[in-house]
Structure formats: structure tokens, C-alpha cells
Amino acid sequence: MNEMPEWEKRFRAPRVGLPDWAEDAPDRSLFVSNATGTYELYAWDRATGAQRQATNRPNGTTEGVLTPDGAWIWWFNDTDGDEFGVWMRQPFGGGDDEPAVPGLEPSYPAGLALGRDGTAVVGRCTDEDGTTVHVVRPGAAPVEIYRHRESAGVGDLSHDGTLIALEHTEHGDAMHSALRVVRLDGSTAAELDDTKGGAEELGLEVLGFAPLPGDTRLLIAHQRRGRWEPMVWDVASGDETELALELPGDVAAEWYPDGSALLVVHSFEARSELFRYDLAAAELIEVETPAGSVSSATARPDGTVEYLWSSAARPSEVRSTTGAVVLDPPGMKAPGSVPVEDAWVEGPGGRIHALVQKPAGSGPFPTVFDLHGGPTWHDSDAFAAGPAAWLDHGYAVVRVNYRGSTGYGREWTDALKHRVGLIELEDVAAVREWAVSSGLADPSRLVLAGASWGGYLTLLGLGTQPDAWALGLAVVPVADYVTAYHDEMEALKAMDRTLLGGTPEEVPERFEASSPLTYVDAVKAPVYISAGVNDPRCPIRQVENYVERLAARGAVHEVYRYDAGHGSLVVEERIKQVRLELEFAAKVLGTAAPGTAGGGGA
């Protein structure tokens, strides 16, 4: 048997997420790893060094949290990736799983906060009830303290367990939340609404209560100056302390454990950096990290910072400001990949940032335009096994941070309204023209690809720009927007109403203009679609509707259905899907088939 290809090694190599730690027992940690071939939760006792796998399910588990005393692991138990289920718990040291909140029916999760006295605040979302929030005291039945049809979520519980911070969109704008702090009986203690009842597109987010007894300061994020920035809001006095950090990109933060400072994560133009902000001195001090992206970070009680870092060229590592690698999983190491280059292209809505990676050799290259999901997300200078696989097979990869992306200011993100999908594709078209005219991309071998919202844009682009693309690869896409709206989880219905300005019945012309199904008969390029049969975000029925229309006119297409939800947590399944994509592209374009590049056949 030949050596395993490099691209497969990147998926199979064991990796770990940033360890979460119990607030009052910081030696007890919880992290996610794919060490068994499926992403699961692991308990780690730092005092003894002992690690154990805490969950073991066929389709994986990634959502879990420790109680403040570190005695229990709470994890969310859905069915095969459908995101609908209940919270379970097990002792930190091991033992049987049990329902964490007996009496609460299955739902989509809408936030969770765990108190020091055993009280839990559980957010739930269902199609029937909208969002509900329940307080669960030890040994008592759950008590509902909040209910609304619009989306909402539990943000945090104060250190003394008396105040609950909620994010809500009762004003109807699912992209810009307001805040309400309530007591355990549901009565209101404080409110903050930068939307002014939905009149202004200014959001707020809960970042966390101060980690000190009796402290009523709540760290939040606001958009008052055109980007996300932290602010300290004392919910008892009403005082608001805006922190003029003068950083150009979006800024998130969390408390240092002693409450004296903030750990600041600054994301700007596809890269990120860390700072310590001393609250008393109002001083910002850089926490040195390598160039690239910090996807998560936490300040430890001893003042050190641990963070998950990577770049496009280097696989992720959990690092510490001590200089040590915090967690180094045993076994095969992931091969590196190609550094990313920046491209700035003038577009109809302003300058567009694209991230470009080139294979060995000279162009023009067959080129994959790999569109990110979200839509309010962004591609960054971070390690990704998918793009690296295309590079190994001789493709250039271009990732476009189209309008709607985060990290470029509020106006760029909020530009995505009403002409949904069409706006992003205008930016993709501008970058495509640059890629061809610059000599990077072969105009006859352009691939439009993406997952989730990126899969949606792929199908929409194949129909609205039929002569631009040689083939399309759509993973867990929205394909029929009207059917998707009616079948998707309730929180996404709210987002779609915000993006399009109403329901399919209220604004049918907008849904029609933004639906890939509207343009399916114009599609010329071969289409590959993969979809999870349990997907609550891009449900299978609307994909089937689109596929039936392709089949009815004999269009070249392949469909792969798999038994999971919105993506898979199983490594072999993910490798299978990428191999199918590479094979489809090779068949259409005559490029290298998987196994013939980057390290030999499997």
C-alpha cells in the first residue's frame, strides 16, 4: 500500500480545541478532540495529568461545559446531528450519564448558564414555543421565566447566581440583539437596547458577568462606533463604561479571573491578535502571538493566557504565553500547507478582501472559489484542511470576504439586506474578474464551491452567472429558499425574516429573487451536492426539490446524502466527502484525481 496522501493526513491527524476550565476548580478542564476519528469531549485533570474520553457517540459530540466546581460535565445530546435534544451530565471523574434537567422536553439549545449552588439556567427553542428560558434549582422542577416567539438566548449568570443576562430580538431584528438582565423569578433588573425598539441596526452581545462575588458589572459588546467593541455595564447602577481601545477591527473580550483586566481579541482583515486591557490604568498591552489567527483564548488564574492559534500554512496548536504548547495530541502530525496572500479588489460596494493560495508551478491555474458560510462570518489566515487538499491537487484557492462578512466593520456586515445572495455574488464576480485578468485563474476551469451559506451562494451563482463557472460543489446548501424557510429551525426563520424583510408570504418577490431554485433551469455547469439527511439548518426536502429540477432536464449532477446533520464530526466521513468532490472535479476538468498528488495513493 502506498503512503497516505498529505491531504488525508491533515484530516486524520489528531487535533484538540482550546480547553475550557472550571471557574472554581481550574485544574479541571474539558476539551474537544478527534483522537478516536470522531470529535468528542475529553476530561483533563491538570493536577494529575489524567485524560479520559467523556462522550462516545457515532456522530460525535462537541457541545459541553463544566460546572463551576468542576464536579460535573454537561453535554448536549442530540440525534445524529439534528441539534435537537436535551442536556445530559456525568461526573468529572467518570460514571453514568443522566438527564441534567429532568422535566424539560427536547429542544434546540438557546444558551446555558450554571450557578455555584447547582442552579441552572436553560435556554430552549422550538418551532411551537419560540424561545423559553427555565430556572432549575437543585431538586426542584424547572420554572419557566421567559417566553417569546422571536429568538433569544441565555448569556450568563452572575457570580452570586442572582442575575441572568439574556440576549433577545423581541423587536424583530435577528441580526441585532438587545439585552435584558432578569432575576431568578424572571423580573427585570435592567435593560439595554441600542436598536431603540428595532429602529436602528445596532446590536449588543453578552460577554460575561464580572468573576467576583457581589459584582454587578456585565461585560458586553456594542456596535456604536461602527464595529464590535467591549463595554462594561454596571447593571445595578446603570453606569456604562465604553472602552476606547482604538483598534480598527472587531474587538471581543473576556474577564481575567481576578476582575482587574480584560483579555481582548482583536480581529481585523482576516487576522487576529491578543491584548491585556488593565481597567484601572486604562492601558492596552499586547499579548504576543505569532502572525495568523487566534480562534479562541482564555486567561488563567495565574495570569497566563492560553490560546488556539494557526495560520494557513501551519496547523493549529493550543499555546500558552509561558511559551509552552498546552496540549499536544499524540500520533501523526498534520502536514503544513501554503501561506495565504492578500488581494484587495474594488467592488460595487467597496474594497473586497480575498485570501489567495497558489499551488506549485506557474499559472493560470484551475481555481476553486471557496465561499464561507455564515453569512455573518469570515475566512481568515487560519489552517483549513479542505483548501489545502485542493492545493495539493494543483488548484489555486480563492476565498472572498464578501459583503455580509465580519471583521470589516458594521456597514460591511449589515450591507447584506433584501437582495440576499445577489449582493455577495456581485463581490465574488469582481474578485473572479481580478483572478482571471491577473493571470492567476484559468477562466475555463473555475470552480464555485462552499458549504452552508457558501453552498447556497454556489447554487445561486451557478444559476445567475451560468457562463462564469465550469462546475459547482455545494455542501449542505440552501437550494429552495421558500421550502428551506418553512422547514428550518425557528431561530433561522427569524434570521431570514431579518435578511429578506419578511416571510415568503409577505415578500415573495425577494424570496424568489434570492432562491437558487428560481434559476435552476439556467444552470450549465455540472453540479455536485452533498447534504445531511438530519440537517435542521439546510433541510433535506428543499435540496431534493432542487435536485428533481436538475434531473428533469437531464442536467449533469451528482448528489451524496449522508446520515448526519449540518456537516459531519466523523473524520472518515469528512475525508469521503472531500474525495468525492475532488473526483467530481477531476472528471469534469481533467485535473489530478485524489491519490495522485500530494504524497501518493491511499
Side-chain angles (χ1 to χ4, degrees):
M1 180 178 290
N2 293 333
E3 182 189 355
M4 183 188 300
E6 300 273 279
W7 72 270
E8 288 191 28
K9 290 179 182 178
R10 294 192 194 95
F11 285 99
R12 288 201 171 96
R15 66 186 68 186
V16 291
L18 183 72
D20 188 19
W21 50 275
E23 293 174 39
D24 298 337
D27 279 342
R28 294 194 166 191
S29 293
L30 187 69
F31 64 90
V32 175
S33 177
N34 66 337
T36 63
T38 302
Y39 284 91
E40 296 286 1
L41 295 170
Y42 288 76
W44 175 27
D45 188 330
R46 297 183 186 222
T48 66
Q51 296 180 8
R52 69 173 187 88
Q53 184 177 338
T55 55
N56 184 14
R57 303 193 302 152
N59 282 297
T61 315
T62 59
E63 192 163 355
V65 65
L66 292 168
T67 53
D69 62 5
W72 294 90
I73 297 168
W74 285 50
W75 60 274
F76 192 73
N77 183 26
D78 66 351
T79 302
D80 295 331
D82 67 359
E83 302 181 45
F84 194 85
V86 298
W87 287 99
M88 303 291 288
R89 70 175 192 168
Q90 67 172 258
F92 180 82
D96 293 337
D97 292 304
E98 63 185 37
V101 193
L104 284 187
E105 293 296 315
S107 69
Y108 298 111
L112 174 72
L114 302 177
R116 285 167 170 76
D117 64 351
T119 297
V121 183
V122 183
R124 301 171 67 253
C125 180
T126 65
D127 295 345
E128 296 76 25
D129 297 331
T131 304
T132 58
V133 175
H134 305 258
V135 170
V136 190
R137 298 178 187 269
V143 177
E144 182 182 304
I145 64 162
Y146 178 88
R147 174 182 290 256
H148 202 278
R149 286 301 313 170
E150 297 292 348
S151 57
V154 177
D156 198 18
L157 182 65
S158 61
H159 187 281
D160 60 10
T162 62
L163 298 172
I164 304 163
L166 303 176
E167 298 177 359
H168 72 84
T169 59
E170 294 171 6
H171 49 276
D173 180 353
M175 293 181 70
H176 303 92
S177 293
L179 303 184
R180 180 174 299 141
V181 177
V182 301
R183 304 174 186 91
L184 292 192
D185 62 1
S187 61
T188 298
E191 293 203 70
L192 200 59
D193 180 10
D194 281 6
T195 75
K196 298 179 180 175
E200 295 194 22
E201 294 182 339
L202 291 172
L204 297 167
E205 290 183 358
V206 173
L207 299 179
F209 275 105
L212 303 172
D215 197 328
T216 55
R217 291 177 300 165
L218 180 63
L219 183 63
I220 66 175
H222 68 91
Q223 296 181 299
R224 297 172 182 175
R225 301 198 307 165
R227 57 186 178 270
W228 284 109
E229 295 180 286
M231 176 175 78
V232 176
W233 175 34
D234 189 324
V235 300
S237 68
D239 292 341
E240 300 173 15
T241 306
E242 293 190 26
L243 311 176
L245 302 182
E246 304 306 331
L247 297 169
D250 288 334
V251 181
E254 70 167 44
W255 296 95
Y256 271 76
D258 64 1
S260 69
L262 304 177
L263 176 60
V264 171
V265 182
H266 176 228
S267 300
F268 182 55
E269 296 180 349
R271 292 168 182 85
S272 52
E273 54 189 349
L274 296 179
F275 297 88
R276 184 183 190 275
Y277 182 76
D278 186 290
L279 288 164
E283 184 180 13
L284 193 65
I285 304 162
E286 184 173 3
V287 177
E288 289 192 17
T289 60
S293 293
V294 174
S295 56
S296 51
T298 184
R300 295 278 294 165
D302 63 2
T304 62
V305 174
E306 295 177 354
Y307 57 96
L308 184 64
W309 172 90
S310 73
S311 70
R314 293 186 58 182
S316 61
E317 292 181 339
V318 179
R319 297 186 171 197
S320 168
T321 49
T322 64
V325 173
V326 177
L327 271 177
D328 186 17
M332 178 172 57
K333 303 303 179 187
S337 188
V338 178
V340 73
E341 300 175 19
D342 298 284
W344 292 92
V345 179
E346 288 300 326
R351 269 201 333 161
I352 308 158
H353 189 197
L355 304 176
V356 179
Q357 290 171 284
K358 301 175 184 176
S362 57
F365 304 102
T367 300
V368 176
F369 281 73
D370 184 14
L371 306 183
H372 69 74
T376 51
W377 191 246
H378 66 272
D379 277 314
S380 58
D381 182 5
F383 195 75
W390 291 104
L391 289 157
D392 284 1
H393 290 82
Y395 296 80
V397 177
V398 177
R399 291 178 286 170
V400 182
N401 282 333
Y402 50 73
R403 276 171 287 174
S405 301
T406 51
Y408 301 87
R410 182 175 64 83
E411 288 187 7
W412 190 258
T413 304
D414 287 351
L416 189 59
K417 283 286 179 69
H418 300 172
R419 293 181 60 250
V420 171
L422 306 172
I423 289 171
E424 304 96 304
L425 287 168
E426 289 174 355
D427 292 349
V428 174
V431 176
R432 184 190 71 234
E433 290 175 15
W434 164 83
V436 171
S437 63
S438 68
L440 169 72
D442 179 347
S444 67
R445 294 190 293 173
L446 298 180
V447 181
L448 189 58
S452 190
W453 196 265
Y456 157 64
L457 294 178
T458 294
L459 295 183
L460 189 63
L462 295 178
T464 59
Q465 304 169 355
D467 296 315
W469 307 103
L471 71 106
L473 305 168
V475 177
V476 292
V478 173
D480 167 2
Y481 216 140
V482 174
T483 302
Y485 175 86
H486 290 300
D487 288 0
E488 69 194 3
M489 59 202 299
E490 188 63 33
L492 293 184
K493 285 188 174 74
M495 178 61 77
D496 284 338
R497 291 194 296 272
T498 296
L499 288 172
L500 289 153
T503 67
E505 292 71 33
E506 292 166 340
V507 287
E509 71 288 349
R510 289 179 184 167
F511 275 83
E512 181 179 10
S514 292
S515 179
L517 188 67
T518 302
Y519 312 97
V520 64
D521 291 337
V523 173
K524 297 179 181 179
V527 189
Y528 169 89
I529 299 173
S530 65
V533 297
N534 302 317
D535 191 342
R537 298 173 180 267
C538 299
I540 193 69
R541 183 168 72 107
Q542 52 95 28
V543 173
E544 303 287 10
N545 291 348
Y546 186 90
V547 171
E548 286 174 9
R549 288 280 296 275
L550 286 177
R553 64 183 184 87
V556 178
H557 70 284
E558 290 183 13
V559 183
Y560 174 65
R561 302 166 183 82
Y562 59 95
D563 188 20
H566 198 61
S568 177
L569 300 175
V570 179
V571 171
E572 288 299 331
E573 175 61 37
R574 182 72 184 114
I575 290 171
K576 179 181 180 181
Q577 293 179 24
V578 173
R579 183 182 290 112
L580 288 170
E581 294 170 20
L582 290 165
E583 288 173 348
F584 187 81
K587 185 165 54 178
V588 173
L589 301 180
T591 50
T596 62

